[in-house]
Amino acid sequence: MTKKINIAFDGPAASGKSAVSKAVAKRLGYLYIDTGAMYRAAAYLAVKHRTDCNDKKAMEELVKTHSIELIPDESTEKGYRITADGEDIIDKITSAEVNNIVSQVASIGEVRKLLTAKLKAMAKRKGIIMNGRDIATVVMPDAELKIYLDASLEERAKRRYKEINASGKNITFEEAKRNLILRDKTDSQREDSPLMAAADSVAIDSTNLTEQETIDKITELAERIIMER
């Protein structure tokens, strides 16, 4: 029987990580985990319990005392459910209130340590595809395939602009671009687990690739490694 591998996806916001990694997971029959959902769950708890996300100790205590779980569930569209204290919150973690503070929450070192421990435990089962910003460097440093997916700022801004406006919310292209510049700065300059490509990552620039071309390219890389196991 062919052994399963783990695949780590890193890269900046709007680089296509979620859609591409989810599609690769579907092709391979692997479990897809968007680690950002875990940090969104922590941000949701902060909103729900009116915890100041600038208060690092309060945020650490919040995550320690409330359960956040990612539960595999193939009956769902995403292939998993996110719960906080047993409540299914998958439809609540993309609210404007959560969007406004999730980067700040994710930059808190103790919060990252607590959630990273949960993610590392999930990775032990193999056949995992995780996407985030410190997967290859911190969460799954022993992943058999590490992908750093990127695209130009202009291209990423176009994608984010289309995505947000398609959801019914109004935003200008310049606003989308400014938001990405701020997000990139926050992610790359945070003290704990900043966004960076692992030394042994395969860097893929998707600026001039279609989503399907990117999926095909990464799937081929994965299948080659799997066949060698």
Side-chain angles (χ1 to χ4, degrees), residues 185-199:
K185 184 177 180 180
T186 301
D187 290 338
S188 61
Q189 295 184 6
R190 68 187 180 213
E191 290 183 12
D192 196 286
S193 305
L195 169 66
M196 65 174 69

Side-chain angles (χ1 to χ4, degrees), residues 98-113:
V98 169
N99 287 340
N100 288 338
I101 65 170
V102 65
S103 269
Q104 207 163 350
V105 170
S107 70
I108 300 172
E110 289 305 316
V111 170
R112 296 197 71 82
K113 287 177 186 175

Side-chain angles (χ1 to χ4, degrees), residues 54-68:
N54 291 306
D55 188 333
K56 295 182 179 181
K57 288 193 174 181
M59 283 302 304
E60 177 186 356
E61 191 62 23
L62 182 74
V63 175
K64 274 184 179 177
T65 56
H66 295 271
S67 70
I68 296 174

Side-chain angles (χ1 to χ4, degrees), residues 107-123:
S107 70
I108 300 172
E110 289 305 316
V111 170
R112 296 197 71 82
K113 287 177 186 175
L114 291 166
L115 296 183
T116 292
K118 290 179 180 287
L119 294 167
K120 282 180 174 289
M122 293 178 205

Side-chain angles (χ1 to χ4, degrees), residues 105-161:
V105 170
S107 70
I108 300 172
E110 289 305 316
V111 170
R112 296 197 71 82
K113 287 177 186 175
L114 291 166
L115 296 183
T116 292
K118 290 179 180 287
L119 294 167
K120 282 180 174 289
M122 293 178 205
K124 289 180 181 178
R125 60 177 282 174
K126 290 294 185 179
I128 299 290
I129 289 182
M130 254 187 225
N131 102 59
R133 288 168 176 75
D134 64 349
I135 309 306
T137 54
V138 177
V139 182
M140 294 200 305
D142 57 349
E144 289 84 353
L145 177 59
K146 302 171 185 177
I147 301 293
Y148 189 85
L149 188 60
D150 205 350
S152 69
L153 176 61
E154 290 293 320
E155 179 61 26
R156 290 190 292 124
K158 286 178 188 175
R159 295 173 184 175
R160 182 53 55 88
Y161 169 75

Side-chain angles (χ1 to χ4, degrees), residues 9 19 46 54 70-71 91 113 136 151 166 205 212-214 229:
F9 276 81
N54 291 306
L70 188 150
I71 304 166
D91 294 326
K113 287 177 186 175
D205 186 332
Q212 193 57 56
E213 287 172 335
T214 306
R229 307 302 293 174

